[in-house]
Amino acid sequence: MSLTIDRIPPIRNTFALRRKRARSKRPTALGDTFSTLMLGLPALIAFALLWEIAPRAGWINALFFPPLSQVLSVLWEMIVSGHLANHIGISLQRASIGFSLAVVVAVPLGFLMGRYPFFEKSSDFLVQTLRNTSQFALLPVFILVLGIGEASKIAITFYAAVFFLLINTIVGVKSVDPLLVKAARSMGTSDWDLFKKVIFPSAIPSIVAGARLGVKTSLFSVIAAEMLAAQSGIGYLIQNSSLMLETDRMYAGILTLTIIGLVLNYLLVAGERRATHWHGTGESGPN
Amino acid sequence: MERIAVSALRKTFTLKPGQTVTVDGVTSDRIAVLDGVDLTIDSGEFITVVGPSGSGKSVLLDVIAGLTEATSGVARIDGIEVSKPQTRTAYVFQQYALFPWRTALQNVEYALEVRGVATAERRDKARHFLHLFGLKGFEDRFPSQLSGGMQQRVAIARALSTDPQVLLMDEPFAALDAQTRDILQSELLRIWEQIKTTVVFVTHSIDEAIYLADRVVVMTARPASIKEIVAIDLPRPRDLDIRNSAAFNAYRGRVWESLRDEVGKAQRDWALASSYAN
């Protein structure tokens, strides 16, 4: 008997690959974080000093670049007056409503598309087209259709986050180890339990990674929307100060945004680590 | 008492679009894996199945497990035809198939959980089976924090937690190092002698097959049927040293004799396949 195989399909295990990568990215001990901070601090201090000295020494125009101390004192005033908290609250509220809507829409849809090839094939082209249309380009459309109120700002944050979540949910669902599905089936797992107890948990790391990207773009998109058409929010604060040539206030707004971004990123990374804590610590037991 | 009855079992796979095989000059998009398997297994029997790589041993287990439909013929458990996974059957895989996001204890609980067993009861039961396999103190470890041998112990504990009447094992120790393998074989026998469930155990290792089995089933190269069934008349409980006995040696020679031609056939098959694949 002779046997030939014309085409052998490539064997891929994206799950294993992803796991490996996630593991190598794992942050090291606290001591390392501290030393990274110490190494990075001089550059940050130098930048702050330059910002302070350059306008005072007249190297750059103080009207466009007010000294850091002046920016910080305006920032402090805005914190004390509660003015800043108000703007932050509004921006975060818009971003979180849009983002939450994106989760509600993208995760179930991603499950369907990841699990049933028909859904994916029939919607893939549309998704790819929409995904490559910038949310910023669509802002005028949102404003035309939804008005300059809250709805258009929520729409842009939704649009910004939904594709990250959708794509990562699809990837997560598709990368479920077929052996785990087989094992679950052999134990008499029902379709619903298979979804809840096998596919969902194994897709979580990917969904959370998508959420991390989605949250940031949601926030940045709401800022852009607020710059164009709003009466409140960090974006409005920055844009309005710039128009009034209150540059110290403008930089205070930008700085606030930076700090929010940093804190958010830290929280999201921590959340991601929590969601994938079972990926292992490299510690192994005896045989 | 007869527990498993497989009769005239055939399984043919249809290849993916664009793939074909050429067998004896005939090109086809189908590949025959099982070609009329007949096997009857008694209740409480320990059966091992050996055969060349790719001979469809795993497919046979999948059909008995109700995970794959036979092309023709039937598999029956206690006289009832298997068409979907049965609650009285448990399956252990070579790659453990533990849920990485669940601890050892939660993994063992899983099988009971999907059967709707109450939390307290299934936790007690899971703990009992982990302890049975010497995993006391490792209940809260994730699979990634356990060695291969320990992971497979967890998987076997999970399989046994539901008191299965049929335990299917697909090369469960093939990924382990030699010492761990020896230890797990002995542990499995020790526990099996207490519970006396019916076991169908697929392996590549002739020694493993003889050491564990009441009967060794030798499969032919693909498309597979049963070539020979060798009854192993060695006293139980068995000690690992039994592998050095004259009787064991005789069985080893006999099983190898039966297997040799089939392995040769399978190798020629694959050599040819790979020479065309490139």
Side-chain angles (χ1 to χ4, degrees), chain B residues 2-260:
Chain B
E2 181 183 299
R3 172 128 289 161
I4 304 172
V6 174
S7 56
L9 197 70
R10 283 191 164 72
K11 177 73 187 176
T12 306
F13 284 110
T14 306
L15 296 173
K16 285 180 184 159
Q19 288 183 318
T20 55
V21 283
T22 307
V23 181
D24 294 332
V26 181
T27 301
S28 165
D29 62 347
R30 312 179 123 244
I31 187 162
V33 178
L34 295 177
D35 190 26
V37 174
D38 290 288
L39 180 63
T40 310
I41 300 168
D42 282 339
S43 176
E45 229 185 335
F46 201 127
I47 295 289
T48 55
V49 181
V50 292
S53 300
S55 66
K57 305 183 292 290
S58 303
V59 179
L60 177 63
L61 287 194
D62 284 0
V63 173
I64 299 173
L67 291 168
T68 298
E69 223 174 303
T71 308
S72 70
V74 286
R76 290 196 177 87
I77 296 177
D78 292 338
I80 299 160
E81 191 176 334
V82 179
S83 58
K84 61 177 175 53
Q86 308 287 305
T87 47
R88 58 216 154 140
T89 306
Y91 205 143
V92 175
F93 303 89
Q94 183 184 340
Q95 296 302 334
Y96 327 131
L98 297 176
F99 301 114
W101 55 87
R102 284 175 170 248
T103 62
L105 188 70
Q106 290 166 341
N107 261 291
V108 179
E109 273 184 63
Y110 180 90
L112 298 162
E113 197 179 310
V114 293
R115 280 169 171 72
V117 176
T119 314
E121 191 189 337
R122 67 174 190 243
R123 198 145 294 170
D124 281 351
K125 207 150 184 206
R127 223 179 280 275
H128 165 76
F129 276 96
L130 279 180
H131 293 182
L132 199 62
F133 280 92
L135 288 170
K136 199 179 172 123
F138 293 95
E139 290 92 340
D140 297 327
R141 295 270 195 115
F142 288 99
S144 59
Q145 299 168 319
L146 297 171
S147 69
M150 293 168 96
Q151 289 186 57
Q152 195 55 293
R153 283 185 180 93
V154 174
I156 299 171
R158 177 175 69 181
L160 293 178
S161 69
T162 57
D163 303 320
Q165 283 156 10
V166 172
L167 178 62
L168 306 171
M169 306 183 88
D170 190 3
E171 302 193 32
F173 307 146
L176 304 172
D177 63 83
Q179 278 101 35
T180 308
R181 204 176 166 140
D182 284 354
I183 294 166
L184 275 171
Q185 285 169 8
S186 303
E187 273 183 35
L188 179 65
L189 275 191
R190 170 177 64 85
I191 289 160
W192 172 76
E193 264 149 24
Q194 291 167 31
I195 57 176
K196 283 284 180 184
T197 185
T198 309
V199 183
V200 186
F201 186 113
V202 166
T203 176
H204 267 120
S205 156
I206 294 175
D207 274 28
E208 185 171 78
I210 298 166
Y211 174 62
L212 295 172
D214 292 322
R215 289 190 292 157
V216 176
V217 175
V218 181
M219 307 276 281
T220 65
R222 194 182 52 211
S225 54
I226 289 172
K227 177 158 192 186
E228 192 186 357
I229 297 177
V230 182
I232 306 297
D233 192 16
L234 293 170
R236 291 187 192 271
R238 291 175 191 167
D239 191 78
L240 276 168
D241 289 334
I242 206 170
R243 293 181 300 185
N244 304 321
S245 69
F248 195 98
N249 240 325
Y251 283 124
R252 189 186 280 134
R254 178 137 173 243
V255 173
W256 173 237
E257 189 64 37
S258 182
L259 199 55
R260 189 170 49 197

Side-chain angles (χ1 to χ4, degrees), chain A residues 255-266:
Chain A
L255 215 53
T256 305
L257 193 59
T258 306
I259 292 163
I260 292 173
L262 282 170
V263 170
L264 214 53
N265 195 55
Y266 176 81

Side-chain angles (χ1 to χ4, degrees), chain A residues 1-9 15 19 23 179-190 193-194 197-199 201-202 277-287, chain B residues 19-25 62 67 85 89 91 93 95 97-101 110-111 113-115 141-142 144-147 149-150 153 158 177 180 222 269 272-273 276-277:
Chain A
M1 188 183 75
S2 69
L3 179 139
T4 56
I5 292 177
D6 283 355
R7 204 169 63 85
I8 294 174
F15 188 64
R19 270 183 65 157
R23 230 182 255 192
L179 180 64
L180 293 184
V181 174
K182 187 178 175 183
R185 286 241 180 264
S186 79
M187 287 183 271
T189 305
S190 64
D193 271 349
L194 189 71
K197 295 179 193 287
V198 181
I199 297 168
S202 69
H277 64 288
W278 44 266
H279 266 164
T281 56
E283 180 192 3
S284 187
N287 274 311
Chain B
Q19 288 183 318
T20 55
V21 283
T22 307
V23 181
D24 294 332
D62 284 0
L67 291 168
T89 306
Y91 205 143
F93 303 89
Q95 296 302 334
L98 297 176
F99 301 114
W101 55 87
Y110 180 90
E113 197 179 310
V114 293
R115 280 169 171 72
R141 295 270 195 115
F142 288 99
S144 59
Q145 299 168 319
L146 297 171
S147 69
M150 293 168 96
R153 283 185 180 93
R158 177 175 69 181
D177 63 83
T180 308
R222 194 182 52 211
D269 232 34
L272 207 62
Y276 278 95

